[in-house]
């Protein structure tokens, strides 16, 4: 592999992957292709801005001409697709963009990639395609039972990847990551929203009873999981990337507040998310068999994340204005009865 296209890598996980790949594989050219939606942020790529093996191109994965042009310009041989609308609450408020990017966009990338004759296509997917798991662990062959428009759009994208593998023999791999956290995560998701609000002593809107279970995965472990699947995964297969760390939301939020030295009384139980999945949990044995292992423990990773937000207020204070505040009001004003 030489010329890799990493789509959606101005976002949270994609930018961590781009930073990692640029450093680890100096002989690869890493081309980031990103539409720069509200979630795309060139500040996330500043640490590699001056590297010789990094390029940035702005574009939409659902824009056929733009995709064709970037594949040709850099003679791309590998695609890793992170580009997505990624926030469940936004998919409840406004699902159109989810179908556009997570379904149509994946199809256009596959179709143009196939015509261009690329090698491997890796689709970054999610544990949410399995739906609500009351007990046990999801394995890769389980049925899809997505419950939110976000989860359904990601499942649709995955099915298109499968179709291009079966129909056209494309070399595809899918990864399904669990709830990821770490530096540079847009402050709409649970941990970065609550850390940054707590730093300003603002109420933390915990949905329902807060006993929903998520499997918390540090972003660096998600990135190494994708690297392993990219280089060692079998064509046509899917691999779970699990945090192997299932915890209730309320326990995670309390641990975060303790690290910040802020009171638990900041937590406000508010109206629940519609269709809220109670529990996600995956088995990572298939990826482990390829040699992957987590590099961090949850307490260490949570502390590193909290410290990063404390030290990098410049990064998130810039975001918390304009479009962000419009969204915040729409999502939380009635729930919290403020702002
Ligand atoms: P994010 O919302 O932080 O970033 C998404 C990026 O995609 C942004 O840079 C945005 O500008 C870009 N983008 C959106 N639409 C685009 C389009 N049409 N064309 C080109 N670029 C576009 O997302 P994230 O949390 O980093 O998630 C990355 C991927 O990982 C997504 O595919 C998501 O479904 C998946 N995932 C996320 C998690 C998680 O916990 N965050 C867990 C498992 C899987
Ligand atoms: O304000 C909030 N209050 C709250 O109680 C928010 C934003 C979330 N929550 C709860 C809902 C979930 O049970 O916290 C949990 C985590 O919520 P999110 O951070 O929105 O993540 P989730 O919905 O679990 O989805 C995430 O993991 C899978 C990512 O956003 C997806 O992109 C990924 O695919």
């Amino acid at each position: 592999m030489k010329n890799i296209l990493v789509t959606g890598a101005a976002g949270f996980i994609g930018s961590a992957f781009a930073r990692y790949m640029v450093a680890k594989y100096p002989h690869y050219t890493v081309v980031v292709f990103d539409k720069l939606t509200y979630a795309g942020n060139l500040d996330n790529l500043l640490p590699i801005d001056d590297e010789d093996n990094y390029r940035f191109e702005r574009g939409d994965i659902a824009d056929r001409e733009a995709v064709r042009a970037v594949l040709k310009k850099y003679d791309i041989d590998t695609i890793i697709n992170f580009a997505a609308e990624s926030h469940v609450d936004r998919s409840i408020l406004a699902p159109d963009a989810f179908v556009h990017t997570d379904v149509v966009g994946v199809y256009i990338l596959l179709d143009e990639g196939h015509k261009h004759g690329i090698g491997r296509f890796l689709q970054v997917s999610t544990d949410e395609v399995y739906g609500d798991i009351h007990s046990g662990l999801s394995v890769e062959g389980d049925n899809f039972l997505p419950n939110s428009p976000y989860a359904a759009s990601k499942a649709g994208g995955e099915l298109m990847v499968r179709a291009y593998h079966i129909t056209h023999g494309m070399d595809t791999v899918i990864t399904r990551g669990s709830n990821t956290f770490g530096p540079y995560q847009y402050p709409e998701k649970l941990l970065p929203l609550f850390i940054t609000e707590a730093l300003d002593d603002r109420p933390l809107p915990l949905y329902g009873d807060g006993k929903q279970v998520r499997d918390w995965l540090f972003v660096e472990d998600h990135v190494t999981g994708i690297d392993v699947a990219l280089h060692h995964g079998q064509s046509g297969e899917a691999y779970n990337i699990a945090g192997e760390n299932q915890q209730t939301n309320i326990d995670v939020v309390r641990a975060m507040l303790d690290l910040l030295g802020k009171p638990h009384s900041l937590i406000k139980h508010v109206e629940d998310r519609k269709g809220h999945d109670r529990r996600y949990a995956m088995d990572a044995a298939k990826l482990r068999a390829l040699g992957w292992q987590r590099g961090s423990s949850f307490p260490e990773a949570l502390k590193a994340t909290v410290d990063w937000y404390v030290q990098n207020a410049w990064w998130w204070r810039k975001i918390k204005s304009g479009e962000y505040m419009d969204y915040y009001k729409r999502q939380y004003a009635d729930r919290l009865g403020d702002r």
Side-chain angles (χ1 to χ4, degrees):
M1 277 182 282
K2 290 191 312 288
N3 303 323
I4 70 173
L5 188 71
V6 190
T7 56
F12 164 49
I13 308 169
S15 67
F17 182 77
R19 296 189 302 268
Y20 174 86
M21 294 298 278
V22 161
K24 183 168 177 193
Y25 301 103
H27 53 295
Y28 291 4
T29 300
V30 177
V31 181
V32 172
F33 183 79
D34 196 295
K35 186 178 179 180
L36 297 181
T37 66
Y38 77 92
N41 185 348
L42 290 176
D43 285 346
N44 301 359
L45 294 162
L46 276 179
I48 52 173
D49 210 27
D50 294 332
E51 298 300 329
D52 290 341
N53 62 335
Y54 160 70
R55 305 279 186 282
F56 179 82
E57 296 279 343
R58 186 171 190 175
D60 182 342
I61 61 164
D63 177 344
R64 191 179 280 282
E65 296 307 321
V67 170
R68 189 177 298 162
V70 78
L71 293 176
K72 187 160 180 246
K73 179 172 175 184
Y74 294 99
D75 193 17
I76 295 296
D77 46 52
T78 306
I79 298 176
I80 301 106
N81 180 37
F82 289 88
E85 288 294 331
S86 70
H87 192 40
V88 173
D89 289 325
R90 290 188 191 248
S91 83
I92 296 167
L93 294 171
D96 290 35
F98 288 75
V99 177
H100 173 86
T101 296
D102 302 7
V103 183
V104 179
V106 175
Y107 151 67
I108 297 280
L109 265 188
L110 284 162
D111 200 53
E112 285 303 318
H114 173 55
K115 287 177 183 154
H116 181 77
I118 61 152
R120 179 146 283 193
F121 183 106
L122 188 144
Q123 169 69 4
V124 178
S125 192
T126 169
D127 57 1
E128 302 207 13
V129 297
Y130 297 119
D132 207 349
I133 304 303
H134 296 281
S135 61
L137 301 174
S138 301
V139 293
E140 287 80 352
D142 285 355
N143 287 339
F144 285 2
L145 288 169
N147 292 320
S148 69
Y150 163 70
S153 70
K154 292 296 291 186
E158 276 207 36
L159 292 178
M160 200 54 85
V161 173
R162 173 185 160 86
Y164 270 72
H165 173 72
I166 302 282
T167 308
H168 299 296
M170 268 183 91
D171 175 6
T172 64
V173 168
I174 292 168
T175 57
R176 299 186 186 129
S178 60
N179 274 68
T180 307
F181 67 99
Y184 298 101
Q185 185 170 27
Y186 193 86
E188 64 188 352
K189 307 281 165 54
L190 180 77
L191 268 172
L193 174 69
F194 279 25
I195 295 168
T196 56
E197 292 290 278
L199 282 169
D200 285 342
D201 300 304
R202 293 190 35 81
L204 309 180
L206 192 68
Y207 297 152
D209 62 5
K211 301 262 177 67
Q212 300 83 6
V213 172
R214 296 292 183 268
D215 180 3
W216 297 93
L217 171 67
F218 192 43
V219 65
E220 289 177 13
D221 292 324
H222 195 156
V223 161
T224 59
I226 293 171
D227 183 21
V228 167
L230 177 68
H231 289 95
H232 306 293
Q234 206 181 312
S235 186
E237 293 295 312
Y239 296 90
N240 292 340
I241 309 178
E244 300 174 314
N245 170 51
Q246 297 150 29
Q247 298 209 39
T248 61
N249 293 336
I250 195 158
D251 284 348
V252 168
V253 173
R254 284 181 180 145
M256 177 277 285
L257 287 170
D258 291 345
L259 284 167
L260 278 180
K262 297 283 184 180
H264 292 189
S265 58
L266 286 178
I267 298 172
K268 301 287 176 233
H269 289 271
V270 299
E271 182 194 329
D272 210 347
R273 173 185 279 175
K274 287 184 190 166
H276 198 170
D277 284 336
R278 197 71 183 162
R279 178 173 177 268
Y280 303 133
M282 293 191 295
D283 187 339
K286 190 171 169 185
L287 187 65
R288 281 187 173 283
L290 296 183
W292 176 77
Q293 54 181 24
R294 281 180 297 114
S296 63
S297 73
F298 180 69
E300 288 164 357
L302 184 63
K303 182 169 185 332
T305 301
V306 167
D307 289 349
W308 188 87
Y309 284 91
V310 169
Q311 286 155 18
N312 291 279
W314 68 272
W315 181 87
W316 55 267
R317 288 211 185 275
K318 256 194 203 176
I319 293 171
K320 288 200 169 192
S321 64
E323 194 280 341
Y324 176 88
M325 289 312 301
D326 292 344
Y327 165 74
Y328 184 93
K329 282 185 193 134
R330 233 178 131 192
Q331 183 63 21
Y332 297 109
D334 285 348
R335 284 186 161 91
L336 285 170
D338 81 346
R339 268 193 194 170

